[in-house]
Amino acid sequence: MSPSDRRAPTNAEDLLALLRERDLPHVKVGAFDVDGIFRGKYMSRKKFEGSLEKGFGFCNVVLGWDNNDQLYDNVSVAGWHNGYEDAGLRLLPETTRLIPFEDDLPLVLGEFTGVYESVCPRGVLRRVLDRAASMGYDVAAAAEFEFFVFDETPHSIREKGYRNLRTITPGFFGYSMLRAGVHAEFYEDLLATCRAMDMELEGLHTETGPGVLEAALTVTDALTAADNAALFKTFTKILAQRQGWMATFMAKWSPDWPGQSGHLHLSLTDKETGASAFHDADKPYRMSDAMRWFVGGQQALMPELLSMVASTVNSYTRLIPGFWAPTDAAWGVENRTTALRVIPGSPKSQRVEYRISAADINPHIALAAAIGSGLWGIENRIEPGDPIEGNAYEKSLPATRALPRTLMEAADRLKASEPARMLFGDGFVDHFAATRQWEEREFRRAITDWEMARYFEII
């Protein structure tokens, strides 16, 4: 695939001019739901031109069902009680991307409006960033994802009952130039698509494990970084399936291999001066007071906000000792066994890595939690505990640093959190907590292979 030299328009006037110049009959539009799934459709140019100014109606069921399109029975924002009416969606021309394998068809993101704005994932992050701006900060962010790629199709995985799946490569082979060369066409397809869609990758390589890759997206402003991360997950899966493969961003798909991370890198700059708000050459680890309090807030609120980051039942299978995933709200300096890794450096590179998050995150909601808790820390001058040196799994930490061990426990903690309600609003907290409680209830209805093998004959 050779993407064209066309650049995506960044405002309504240029976008409309592009549609008319190319006489495009349709545009793609969409928004991200509570699970980070991209929901959208093709829209005729005539309807799009009217909707660009006034918005349009999008069935509110996309905010009232789970990732399997099953209707929640415990939320108020969407349901039979309001007839699954239309939710308003405003289109955001500044988010326009051109899809290279659809002849540079424009793709435009949207946000839910009106009563639905309170539960819109992108809207929640935008409000957190407005808070940062009111405090005098700009926020930069970047996500990096691990994902497994399989020589399977959506039909074959179901026919196999999700067992005995074939990865595109066997065994361990991290940072393999051999395997990257063998599958160069897929790598180049992914790199070129990301470049053409303005979500360029800083790095792409094999990780240790069968068929697992890691991609690091380029740092940008936090709202764009969330859009990029969510689109990257969607289009990686699209490209894999177009090749007859499948990519998964589950937190952990096999008990035999490490889970898949979705780490977030964050930094603040002073809005007036453009200088790093995290860097102070005269302080330990070059951490400014603002950075120290930011990390303190993240550490303090992590147990209460965990369901916003570890948002699936599967997320909690990754949070066990010895698998490169944290188990407590600990922080350290250049320590990859802790939930928060402070990375000292120059004013440009000083940042914190939010390592609790897995590849299954909704990027908008996870970034809202990671940034919002840090801002809360600055506002309240929250001092973090002592940094962990060495293996965090072997350290004894206060009970207040322990993380919830199940999605239900995490959802209950979120629902009871006053800081969460202050940061994200009652509407979001009540809705999101309810959706996570539903998710665990759905899991509790299932009879797993493990239960059958353990109990069927013996018990």
Side-chain angles (χ1 to χ4, degrees):
M1 178 185 65
S2 299
S4 76
D5 293 329
R6 292 193 186 106
R7 304 310 303 169
T10 58
N11 58 64
E13 182 180 2
D14 289 347
L15 177 55
L16 291 172
L18 174 68
L19 300 182
R20 291 162 186 162
E21 174 191 337
R22 295 179 56 200
D23 194 25
L24 292 175
H26 293 91
V27 178
K28 268 190 172 179
V29 298
F32 298 102
D33 71 10
V34 73
D35 286 294
I37 299 168
F38 199 21
R39 308 281 188 173
K41 59 184 177 181
Y42 291 91
M43 179 180 282
S44 72
R45 189 175 89 195
K46 181 177 180 181
K47 181 173 176 61
F48 178 81
E49 288 176 346
S51 300
L52 196 56
E53 179 180 352
K54 300 177 182 178
F56 70 97
F58 201 126
C59 180
N60 77 6
V61 74
V62 299
L63 297 171
W65 64 18
D66 64 14
N67 59 61
N68 193 40
D69 291 6
Q70 301 305 298
L71 303 174
Y72 298 127
D73 63 8
N74 61 342
V75 301
S76 60
V77 73
W80 297 116
H81 59 280
N82 60 21
Y84 290 104
E85 65 185 9
D86 278 350
L89 194 80
R90 63 170 159 262
L91 292 169
L92 307 167
E94 67 273 16
T95 68
T96 303
R97 319 293 174 108
L98 303 180
I99 306 174
F101 52 82
E102 294 194 52
D103 193 24
D104 286 343
L105 182 71
L107 168 67
V108 183
L109 305 185
E111 287 183 359
F112 293 99
T113 62
V115 297
Y116 301 96
E117 187 161 359
S118 65
V119 300
C120 174
R122 195 177 193 275
V124 169
L125 175 58
R126 179 174 42 76
R127 292 193 295 275
V128 167
L129 296 176
D130 288 344
R131 187 184 199 90
S134 71
M135 295 169 63
Y137 300 118
D138 286 322
V139 186
E144 54 184 23
F145 291 111
E146 295 172 350
F147 55 98
F148 279 81
V149 185
F150 297 84
D151 186 9
E152 301 284 355
T153 70
H155 289 294
S156 71
I157 59 170
R158 286 164 172 81
E159 290 163 359
K160 289 182 172 184
Y162 298 89
R163 302 182 188 91
N164 303 314
L165 302 181
R166 181 183 175 89
T167 52
I168 60 170
T169 57
F172 295 96
F173 204 165
Y175 297 96
S176 171
M177 296 301 284
L178 168 62
R179 287 180 173 163
V182 170
H183 293 133
E185 290 81 6
F186 176 72
Y187 280 72
E188 180 53 35
D189 202 10
L190 182 56
L191 289 164
T193 297
C194 290
R195 190 165 58 248
M197 295 185 67
D198 298 319
M199 50 182 187
E200 191 161 2
L201 298 184
E202 187 177 88
L204 177 65
H205 63 87
T206 64
E207 254 295 348
T208 183
V212 60
L213 279 65
E214 180 173 332
L217 283 89
T218 302
V219 65
T220 184
D221 69 276
L223 192 56
T224 302
D227 292 343
N228 289 352
L231 287 170
F232 172 78
K233 292 175 66 174
T234 298
F235 280 87
T236 297
K237 288 182 277 191
I238 289 172
L239 291 176
Q241 291 193 35
R242 285 169 62 87
Q243 181 155 319
W245 293 349
M246 290 192 72
T248 184
F249 289 80
M250 284 181 67
K252 197 169 186 182
W253 72 273
S254 167
D256 301 323
W257 303 102
Q260 302 179 96
S261 65
H263 299 159
L264 304 171
H265 292 255
L266 302 168
S267 63
L268 301 184
T269 56
D270 185 286
K271 287 185 68 68
E272 289 189 3
T273 66
S276 170
F278 272 5
H279 186 271
D280 187 334
D282 297 325
K283 294 290 179 68
Y285 316 118
R286 296 190 283 279
M287 292 175 67
S288 68
D289 289 341
M291 184 179 190
R292 195 177 69 253
W293 295 329
F294 190 91
V295 171
Q298 290 182 315
Q299 182 181 39
L301 292 188
M302 190 177 290
E304 297 177 34
L305 306 186
L306 186 63
S307 66
M308 294 175 64
V309 181
S311 56
T312 71
V313 171
N314 182 249
S315 302
Y316 295 82
T317 65
R318 170 179 166 268
L319 302 180
I320 58 175
F323 276 92
W324 294 97
T327 55
D328 295 280
W331 76 282
V333 179
E334 288 289 14
N335 191 333
R336 286 184 168 87
T337 69
T338 57
L340 299 165
R341 172 187 169 220
V342 168
I343 304 173
S346 68
K348 186 177 180 180
S349 63
Q350 181 97 6
R351 64 194 187 277
V352 59
E353 181 184 20
Y354 198 81
R355 293 180 56 83
I356 192 68
S357 50
D360 62 349
I361 55 170
N362 178 328
H364 294 92
I365 292 176
L367 275 168
I371 297 166
S373 56
L375 297 175
W376 178 85
I378 293 175
E379 289 175 318
N380 294 280
R381 300 193 171 193
I382 303 297
E383 294 290 344
D386 294 333
I388 297 295
E389 297 181 3
N391 188 349
Y393 301 124
E394 297 176 348
K395 307 296 181 180
S396 178
L397 296 175
T400 54
R401 304 300 188 208
L403 298 175
R405 299 307 186 203
T406 67
L407 181 58
M408 185 66 78
E409 181 187 352
D412 291 344
R413 291 289 298 274
L414 177 67
K415 191 170 184 177
S417 173
E418 289 303 321
R421 293 181 178 277
M422 181 271 291
L423 288 167
F424 314 119
D426 290 335
F428 172 79
V429 170
D430 288 336
H431 180 74
F432 188 78
T435 68
R436 299 310 95 187
Q437 290 167 336
W438 162 276
E439 189 74 7
E440 177 125 340
R441 281 169 46 203
E442 288 292 283
F443 169 69
R444 296 296 178 192
R445 293 172 54 190
I447 309 300
T448 66
D449 290 348
W450 184 91
E451 291 170 279
M452 293 295 288
R454 192 171 185 88
Y455 301 130
F456 189 89
E457 177 185 5
I458 303 298
I459 215 69

